[in-house]
Structures are given as C-alpha cells and as structure tokens.
Amino acid sequence: MDLNTTSIPALTADELRRLYRLLAAVRELDVAAVAWQRQGIIPGYAPELGQEAAQVGSAFAVDTTRDFVFPTYREMGVALAMGVDMVEYMSTHKASWHGGLYNPVETRLAPIQAVVGGSVLHAVGWAHAQRLDGADGAAITYFGDGASSQGDVHEAMNFAGVLKAPVVFFVQNNGWAISLPTESQVAGGRVAARAAGYGMPGITVDGNDVAAVVQATRAALAHARSGAGPVLIEAMTYRRGPHSTSDDPGRYRSLDEERRDGGTDPLELLASRLLSEGIADQQFLDEARAAGAAAADRVREGVMALGPRPGSELFEFVFQEPTEALQAQARAWREESEHV
Ligand SMILES: Cc1ncc(C[n+]2csc(CCOP(=O)(O)OP(=O)(O)O)c2C)c(N)n1
Ligand SMILES: [Mg+2]
C-alpha cells in the first residue's frame, strides 16, 4: 500500500532555515547534556547524536492544536522542536521528576518513558478514543528498531490497522538496540515491510535528511487524520554515540564500523543544501550554532537550580483513585521517612 506524498508542497526557504536552527539547537543541547552527566550535574542521559533530523523533521510536521506525541527516552529533539521547556524536559535526566515536569496536556507531549514499546500502545488508545469523541487529530508514536521486536508493538499495530486508528508509527532505525545490531533481530530486512501485514502503508525515509522526514511525516499525518488509518514510517539513521551515558559502544563495535556505517551527518547535509541553494550563508549557520550553544547554557543553569520534589509525589498521579494497597504503602513510607 502506497502513501500519497506528491500532494505535500515542497518546504519553503524560511522553513528550511527554521529547521537548521532547530537541528543546531538540538545538537548543541545533546552534546552539552552528555558533558553535564560527566560533570555530575545529571545522573544519566540517552544521547541522540546523528538522529537530530529524524526527530526534528517528524516533530516539525505535528500540529499541536490537534495531534499528540508519544516519545520514548531518546526524543529530546522532538520535544525541543515542539517548543517544550527544556529545563522541564531535562528534569527527568536530573532524576527530579520521572517523565519530565512539562504539562503533557498543554504541550501535547506524553511523559518521557523508558518501557521499550510502551508508548506505542498508549498512542493507539489515545488515537482511537479521540476519534470516538469526534476529533480529527492523529497520534505519532516513536520507537526503535529494537522495540519493533516487542510483542506490544505488534499488538498495537494490529489494533490500529483493524480500528483504522489515526496513528503514525515512527520508527527510528538507528542500527542498534543497545549492543544488538538491527540485522540480528529484524527478519525480512526492514521494519517498514511489516506494515503490510497490518493493512497499512509502510515507508522508509532517509532519516538524516530533515526535509525528506518532514515531507514523509506530513503525508503520513494527513493520511491518518483523513480517516484512512495508520501509517508506519521507518527513518533510516544511525546512533553515533553510546546507547546511554552508562554504555561503552567500544565493547561491541569498532571505530572503523562507526565510520563506515554512520551515514551523513544530518546538520552537514542540510547546511550544504542551504549554502548550495543560496538559502543561507556561513554566517547564518554559525549564528544558529552559537544560539543553540547559548540556549544550552541557559538550560544547564535551570537544570542545576532544580530542587528535589516532595517524596510523597511517588504515590500521586499513579491512579485516578489510589488503591488501598498504594495508600498503605504511602502510609508506611511516611512513617519511615517522615516519622509521622
Ligand atoms: C520492556 C523493556 N525491555 C527491555 C528494556 C531495556 N532496554 C532499554 S533500551 C533497549 C533497547 C531499545 O532499542 P531500540 O528500540 O532500537 O531503541 P534505541 O535505544 O536504539 O533508541 C532495551 C532492551 C526496557 N527498557 N524495557
Ligand atoms: Mg535502535
């Protein structure tokens, strides 16, 4: 099944410049966050070096007045492109608040979560429910090549196909699931090929080409919103850094392999297009990087200033009405930690 991408207009020069500024901001913040972890400012972080175009490009296509976004633990670039406050986003990496301090309802970004494949089920539930309510938005859910082997993802795709739920399944195929290469777990070569079995279009896109990602995601969201059912997009990219700040890729891949498989740097790809088409000059590119670095410094200050949250929040926001078992745990916790 094919997806109609021809009706999507080409990106304007202004959009391409905005995309470069976003890519630069994500690159600067991402590299800075790894340094903060090494400096002891945050305990952990999941870098996205090399995946900036897949994230910024897909989020750029989202309409936050009606769509809803379901991230994993590696979607800082999505959050930034959606305009989420980055201190509130980074609070999860400071371990101040599980899932991020931003308001999911206002931002349209569901809480950050680390259950592999977990957000995929939530997206289908949200998409189907809002359609039953008569709304016309679509959900976009992020997951990795590794998560595509998880049972939950197949159940979610099957339900979305059967119900014609307005969902875009956005797979970032970054070549690795921690230390396991994609070819060791994705039979049939491509995750996108699986879409046919669930009755939905499945397309692959160059995940390092931000303009291509915007176009594909705009087409997919339009398809989903129109009531034609879900779409799967597989963005081919490469995780240039470690899985997380606790990982050492040198234990399972060589520098030669990284150089061979890394693909084109998404920032360099867009920069050379902007220059060759006369859309921007070197000064614009330098200023975008400098603005990104300055913004990252401001986020660092905000993250450092974040205090701990009250421990009692552990028990809140779990169920709409807390269970007796949870209330008993909360009482025990209070007696032990607050001696009340
Ligand atoms: C249900 C579940 N199983 C296992 C893990 C441990 N785990 C965390 S990330 C990961 C690999 C995920 O790889 P992929 O889906 O390709 O995403 P990427 O990390 O490459 O972005 C695993 C197995 C987990 N967090 N949740
Ligand atoms: Mg992966």
Side-chain angles (χ1 to χ4, degrees):
M1 206 186 297
D2 278 343
L3 189 67
N4 179 10
T5 48
T6 49
S7 58
I8 305 294
L11 291 168
T12 65
D14 183 52
E15 285 179 316
L16 290 167
R17 282 189 292 266
R18 269 168 52 211
L19 284 165
Y20 189 80
R21 280 196 214 97
L22 288 169
L23 289 180
V26 173
R27 171 65 57 87
E28 295 294 339
L29 183 56
D30 186 62
V31 170
V34 175
W36 304 343
Q37 194 276 337
R38 305 303 189 226
Q39 293 161 6
I41 295 171
I42 55 175
Y45 178 69
E48 63 175 81
L49 190 69
Q51 297 178 224
E52 298 90 345
Q55 297 201 7
V56 166
S58 51
F60 199 76
V62 167
D63 175 353
T64 51
T65 65
R66 54 180 168 165
D67 302 332
F68 212 102
V69 178
F70 293 82
T72 72
Y73 42 84
R74 203 190 294 289
E75 265 76 63
M76 182 274 280
V78 171
L80 190 147
M82 290 175 71
V84 172
D85 180 282
M86 282 294 113
V87 175
E88 294 181 354
Y89 179 90
M90 284 290 178
S91 63
T92 204
H93 297 300
K94 176 88 183 285
S96 300
W97 181 254
H98 191 66
L101 277 166
Y102 57 88
N103 182 327
V105 176
E106 281 168 16
T107 58
R108 311 292 280 178
L109 181 68
I112 301 160
Q113 59 95 30
V115 178
V116 165
S119 58
V120 182
L121 291 159
H122 298 169
V124 177
W126 179 88
H128 184 55
Q130 61 99 45
R131 184 49 57 102
L132 292 179
D133 274 348
D136 66 349
I140 177 165
T141 175
Y142 290 86
F143 56 104
D145 44 289
S148 76
S149 308
Q150 189 90 0
D152 291 1
V153 172
H154 295 275
E155 291 165 24
M157 291 199 290
N158 189 52
F159 264 108
V162 168
L163 298 168
K164 286 211 178 298
V167 182
V168 175
F169 295 93
F170 194 92
V171 185
Q172 286 171 84
N173 186 339
N174 63 5
W176 294 89
I178 312 184
S179 55
L180 199 68
T182 311
E183 57 271 19
S184 301
Q185 61 170 328
V186 178
R190 289 284 165 102
V191 179
R194 296 177 178 169
Y198 301 111
M200 66 174 104
I203 55 172
T204 53
V205 63
D206 179 353
N208 299 331
D209 179 346
V210 71
V213 176
V214 176
Q215 298 289 90
T217 316
R218 279 183 174 164
L221 285 167
H223 177 97
R225 291 189 205 110
S226 76
V231 180
L232 190 154
I233 298 177
E234 183 177 14
M236 304 306 294
T237 181
Y238 190 77
R239 196 198 76 214
R240 291 176 166 236
H243 171 74
S244 74
T245 44
S246 345
D247 176 40
D248 171 10
R251 295 180 62 180
Y252 52 83
R253 69 187 192 192
S254 68
L255 281 175
D256 280 344
E257 283 166 341
E258 287 184 8
R259 283 191 200 105
R260 187 195 64 208
D261 300 337
T264 318
D265 180 303
L267 271 79
E268 284 173 20
L269 189 65
L270 183 59
S272 57
R273 176 172 173 193
L274 294 179
L275 293 174
S276 70
E277 294 182 16
I279 294 172
D281 56 14
Q282 189 59 44
Q283 191 188 342
F284 170 88
L285 303 179
D286 294 345
E287 280 172 9
R289 290 298 285 260
D297 280 348
R298 289 194 295 276
V299 178
R300 180 181 189 270
E301 297 300 314
V303 167
M304 287 178 80
L306 278 174
R309 305 286 301 183
S312 58
E313 285 186 347
L314 270 175
F315 304 96
E316 294 166 17
F317 314 120
V318 180
F319 298 107
Q320 190 157 359
E321 289 166 21
T323 60
E324 269 180 38
L326 193 66
Q327 284 171 326
Q329 286 175 19
R331 277 195 301 277
W333 174 83
R334 240 174 249 122
E335 279 161 24
E336 282 173 27
S337 63
E338 295 179 346
H339 308 289
V340 289

